[in-house]
Amino acid sequence: MKVLAILYNGFKAAKAEPRLLGTVENELGLRAYLESQGHEYIVTSSKEGPDSDFQKHIADTDILITTPFHPGYLTKELMAKAKNLKVCVTAGVGSDHVDLNAAVDRKIQVLEVSGSNVVSVAEQVMMSILLLVRNFVPAHEQAISGQWQVSDIARNAFDLEGKVVGTLGAGRIGHRVLQRLVPFNTKELLYYDYKALPEEAEKAVGARRVEDLKEFVSQCDVVTVNAPLHEGTQGLINKDLLQHFKPGAWLVNTARGAICNADDVAAAVKSGQLRGYAGDVWNVQPAPADHPWRSMRNPLGGGNGMTPHYSGTTLDAQQRYAEGTKKILQNYFENKPQDPGNVIVGVGKYESASYGQR
Ligand code: NAP
């Protein structure tokens, strides 16, 4: 079979660090295995436009491997050209870069390595909340640029203790974020999700479910987004919803960039309506140099905690999603059942609730 992987370039770093498995250079560690089984393995980062390797090779690819970090966007149109495609594997978590409805129609399975980087992201969420609330970025900028003006930092720095923190989405990551917030003695922990957490889990973190989204955001000092991107969450955080946020709230989004309207969020940060926004996910990846989230700052010069998409691709996470991808391929080649938690789209039907109520 022909296996095509769309990965990001690691260049010098990947040559020096073999644990950067999710790179073009290190090929998810799959080449020896795939070739020993007689499969052809093509690995590339070239993914945009009709002349890209992605679009050229997809025509006769049997198995496509992609990652959310350098997403190969498999649109309905591209899928129509992919005559042999049977399986798409996301090396990581989040398969919104694949047109899932089209995959259902075309009986193309979509699998991901569920859970592989949920701790990595939950830790990033904690870091992002703290760096916004404590106004870390401008303080660090002073440190490295030779300045020292404590009042300019402290005037917009707060403690997390005593604040209300809510997660939009309380699945694997959202629940782990709530668990990690417990020792910070927040005023209250809230969550908004289609379904309640299991009673014991809810009790253990002491979180309260709020069933109306506007009511939820209006009660939070900090909102963290931990839901998948699908029709129900695309552009969910926009000008209208932002009006219901507490004035000066902080927003962290490590789920998917397109859940937020980029211009509306940037405007809210610039006006101070949001005190800050942090995250690693962008509506287009790689993000263009003039993306509004690169340059936005609040009126006091802080409030921007953006990074490239890396929270779920720590070296620890890469090992887990590379192993998980191999396991999915082995199960497929050996006709063994897949771990049900990894199946987003089975043959001709959705198998996961994680893409919302459908
Ligand atoms: P998960 O376990 O499937 O949890 C997602 C939760 O969000 C589920 O409980 C889901 O409920 C809920 N949800 C769906 N739509 C919602 C909506 N409109 N409002 C409120 N809740 C909603 O997934 P996860 O492992 O926690 O991952 C969550 C997302 O994080 C992934 O889909 C991915 O996009 C992102 N992620 C980012 C990175 C990174 O590197 N930045 C890495 C991993 C994951 P239902 O199950 O009922 O739909």
Side-chain angles (χ1 to χ4, degrees), residues 264-320:
D264 293 356
V265 163
V269 171
K270 282 183 196 159
S271 72
Q273 187 193 355
L274 282 179
R275 207 178 290 272
Y277 180 87
D280 66 330
V281 285
W282 305 69
N283 51 341
V284 182
Q285 294 187 179
D290 61 351
H291 194 288
W293 289 355
R294 288 185 187 267
S295 55
M296 66 185 175
R297 285 179 184 261
N298 66 26
L300 297 178
N304 185 329
M306 292 306 297
T307 69
H309 189 170
Y310 84 107
S311 64
T313 187
T314 57
L315 293 181
D316 301 298
Q318 295 196 39
Q319 184 185 348
R320 291 188 295 263

Side-chain angles (χ1 to χ4, degrees), residues 68-69 92-96 112 114-118 120-121 124 167-176 192-195 197 213 225-234 236 253-256 259 279-281 285 309-313 344 352-357:
F69 312 104
V93 175
S95 299
D96 49 275
E112 62 185 39
S114 293
S116 56
N117 51 19
V118 293
S120 322
V121 179
Q124 184 97 4
T167 175
L168 195 169
R172 296 176 183 89
I173 296 173
H175 178 229
R176 281 168 176 78
Y192 170 84
D193 199 308
Y194 293 134
K195 54 184 185 307
L197 281 165
L213 182 58
V225 184
N226 299 295
L229 173 63
H230 52 65
E231 295 96 323
T233 55
Q234 173 111 26
L236 186 65
N253 175 16
T254 52
R256 282 295 175 265
I259 296 174
D280 66 330
V281 285
Q285 294 187 179
H309 189 170
Y310 84 107
S311 64
T313 187
I344 306 300
S352 159
S354 67
Y355 281 83
Q357 284 175 331

